[in-house]
Amino acid sequence: MSKLFKMTDLLQVAPQKELTDLTKTDKHRFMDSILSSSDSSVRGLEVTFNLSSSARRINNRIYTPKGQRDNIRSWTEPYAKPIIRNHDKNEDPIGRFKSVQWHSLEQDAIRHFRHISDYSKFMNDMDSDDPRRIYKALKRHNLLTDTRWRGTGELLATALIVDETAIEKFLDGRYLTFSAGSHTDRYVCGICGSDWAQGDVCEHRPGMITDSGDIGVFVTGAFYGDEASVLTMPANSYSSVRSMQMTDSMEVANVATEDLATDTTTIFISDGLVDLPEFTNGVSQE
């Protein structure tokens, strides 16, 4: 007896490389964003706050104006990054970003300089995006230790908070301050110029003071957004709520898949006040 064979189509599906390159954690975040997208009306609290500051010492690091301006899209694309509590990525988000904009603080910054020419030269150093020039310029004008210095600009973010408990705490003032969770492709020691992101780890540590009076402050590169956390004690004292309003709808952009690949060589950082981490072979265990 002859055997009967049933022919079926054999399909080869080529997965998008941007998705296959994602880590398991990033895939979960991506799916969470897709599943939470909806055209239905969502009632929540729209909160506007200072997300971060440019050229201001925060957790013994400096975020450059260029690094923050050039990567604003990372907070809302390819999906809106989450608002969480205390940088705990295992909890459900209490909301998501709607928009982020960079605003110049020129009028406030210029007051820290005696002459307009000094300010102009200082801004040239900031715009150079050269870590050593930026560090030296801030040190020369005593801006690494001046708590009144707000920086050259700030990221103003708007987020929609949908968690009922969180909304209550925002409204009664218990939730007030934020901390940015981000990663960068450059982490340069202001004292010697070593770039830790490239494996060039020097003996200087964040916050240390050398015999010559230099402070261990590191200058970052690209400022890629991961999340923003409600935090009781932020390192940036200006990261607080600016305004709030109730809203009945939320616009959710279509989730795109471009630029989803993660770079394992980047350094992940947050703006919460924490104890100085232990170091093993020059690598932070935080």
Side-chain angles (χ1 to χ4, degrees), residues 54-73:
S54 302
R56 185 174 195 266
R57 181 182 172 189
I58 303 173
N59 261 1
N60 294 308
R61 68 179 74 102
I62 299 295
Y63 302 128
T64 67
K66 183 178 186 302
Q68 291 196 330
R69 288 195 305 262
D70 289 356
N71 299 282
I72 284 181
R73 292 174 55 190

Side-chain angles (χ1 to χ4, degrees), residues 53-57 62-70 102 109 113 118-141 143-144 149 151-153 186 219-221:
S53 303
S54 302
R56 185 174 195 266
R57 181 182 172 189
I62 299 295
Y63 302 128
T64 67
K66 183 178 186 302
Q68 291 196 330
R69 288 195 305 262
D70 289 356
W102 189 89
F113 299 84
D118 294 334
Y119 175 72
S120 179
K121 184 178 184 303
F122 173 81
M123 288 306 299
N124 285 336
D125 291 330
M126 296 300 106
D127 292 337
S128 72
D129 201 43
D130 183 320
R132 293 285 283 148
R133 282 182 62 180
I134 291 173
Y135 176 85
K136 290 179 180 179
L138 289 167
K139 179 186 175 184
R140 183 167 58 250
H141 294 283
L143 298 177
L144 289 175
W149 171 250
T152 61
R186 187 178 71 187
V219 181
T220 67

Side-chain angles (χ1 to χ4, degrees), residues 27-38:
K27 288 178 181 176
H28 287 168
R29 292 179 189 167
F30 180 61
M31 291 303 298
D32 173 63
S33 177
I34 294 176
L35 294 175
S36 65
S37 299
S38 173

Side-chain angles (χ1 to χ4, degrees), residues 38-59:
S38 173
D39 294 330
S40 61
S41 176
V42 177
R43 182 173 178 79
L45 180 69
E46 191 173 276
V47 178
T48 298
F49 59 97
N50 171 299
L51 174 63
S52 188
S53 303
S54 302
R56 185 174 195 266
R57 181 182 172 189
I58 303 173
N59 261 1

Side-chain angles (χ1 to χ4, degrees), residues 163-217:
D163 181 88
E164 292 184 5
T165 301
I167 290 174
E168 179 182 350
K169 291 182 178 181
F170 273 110
L171 293 176
D172 66 20
R174 281 178 288 174
Y175 282 176
L176 178 66
T177 50
F178 286 85
S179 172
S182 61
H183 63 279
T184 186
D185 57 357
R186 187 178 71 187
Y187 197 73
V188 176
C189 174
I191 298 175
C192 67
S194 297
D195 188 350
W196 287 27
Q198 302 301 318
D200 185 17
V201 179
C202 60
E203 73 274 13
H204 305 118
R205 294 294 178 264
M208 72 174 291
I209 300 178
T210 66
D211 293 338
S212 59
D214 288 322
I215 305 174
V217 174

